[in-house]
Amino acid sequence: MKVIILMIIAYLLGSIPSGVWIGKLFYKKDIRQFGSGNTGTTNTFRVLGKPAGTVVLLMDILKGTLATLLPSLFHVTNINPLWFGVCAILGHTFPIFAGFKGGKAVATSAGMLLGYSPIFFIYSATIFVVCLFITSMVSLTSMIAAVLITLSTVILPLVWPQILPQHNWLLTIIATGLTLFIFYRHRDNIKRIKDGSESRIPFGLNSKKNR
């Protein structure tokens, strides 16, 4: 019963629609009616600007982190904490507080990694930043980074155990599932990438190409 209650709490944490609440409370805007219509970090940056986008990014990461830490905080040792991170990710993607229409799971997934292993989170964040600098596209970066991080869950314990000391096949399975889900959620972005109309951030190697 305790595990079930904590999983529900993790889902509710993930369901907090950070972008929607920040937009309505401080900017009198519903970001679902602007830009891509998405409730996540990227659309928040696009519609509300850098300060709001940064706050939403941190909040979305924190949701995944707190959820993953719940079993540790409440002394639950008979279940892998990654399951609670998954509950938060489901909440972020299908939030009960926003009509079950949420973000694309990237930031909250990062928060799950932070709660699970801060060192592996830093490694993963570095991959993301490097890919973002190269591509200048958040969508493409999210997909490439997801693939590389998933592969890393298998390779790192063999070649760089200081970052990930041992295999956790549940982590690999969850990362694989999230990668497939991230690709699915970015299917419209994939079309725009192919036709050259995908939005780019104003820095990086390819930032000056046509948007």
Side-chain angles (χ1 to χ4, degrees), residues 14-32 38-45 47-48 52-53 55-57 59-60 63 92 98 102-103:
S15 288
I16 296 173
S18 311
V20 176
W21 287 3
I22 292 294
K24 287 185 175 181
L25 184 62
F26 296 102
Y27 296 84
K28 309 304 178 184
K29 284 185 177 181
D30 186 339
I31 63 170
R32 294 171 293 186
N38 192 266
T39 64
T41 300
T42 302
N43 200 42
T44 304
F45 270 104
V47 175
L48 303 180
V55 171
V56 170
L57 172 63
M59 289 179 67
D60 285 349
K63 292 189 301 186
H92 176 75

Side-chain angles (χ1 to χ4, degrees), residues 122-135:
I122 293 172
Y123 166 87
S124 301
T126 301
I127 289 177
F128 188 93
V129 171
V130 170
C131 290
L132 185 60
F133 180 77
I134 293 171
T135 69

Side-chain angles (χ1 to χ4, degrees), residues 10-159:
Y11 168 79
L12 293 176
L13 279 172
S15 288
I16 296 173
S18 311
V20 176
W21 287 3
I22 292 294
K24 287 185 175 181
L25 184 62
F26 296 102
Y27 296 84
K28 309 304 178 184
K29 284 185 177 181
D30 186 339
I31 63 170
R32 294 171 293 186
Q33 299 175 5
F34 301 90
S36 66
N38 192 266
T39 64
T41 300
T42 302
N43 200 42
T44 304
F45 270 104
R46 185 181 297 119
V47 175
L48 303 180
K50 291 181 181 180
T54 301
V55 171
V56 170
L57 172 63
L58 294 176
M59 289 179 67
D60 285 349
I61 291 175
L62 184 61
K63 292 189 301 186
T65 303
L66 286 177
T68 307
L69 292 175
L70 282 176
S72 176
L73 295 173
F74 289 90
H75 310 291
V76 174
T77 59
N78 60 340
I79 185 170
N80 195 307
L82 288 170
W83 287 119
F84 297 87
V86 170
C87 290
I89 292 167
L90 289 174
H92 176 75
T93 311
F94 306 105
I96 193 172
F97 302 127
F100 299 100
K101 295 180 180 180
K104 296 182 178 179
V106 177
T108 307
S109 297
M112 178 186 70
L113 292 182
L114 177 59
Y116 174 73
S117 171
I119 295 176
F120 187 59
F121 167 80
I122 293 172
Y123 166 87
S124 301
T126 301
I127 289 177
F128 188 93
V129 171
V130 170
C131 290
L132 185 60
F133 180 77
I134 293 171
T135 69
S136 298
M137 288 183 283
V138 175
S139 56
L140 182 57
T141 292
S142 298
M143 291 183 281
I144 293 173
V147 172
L148 294 177
I149 291 166
T150 298
L151 292 174
S152 295
T153 65
V154 177
I155 297 171
L156 283 181
L158 301 175
V159 300

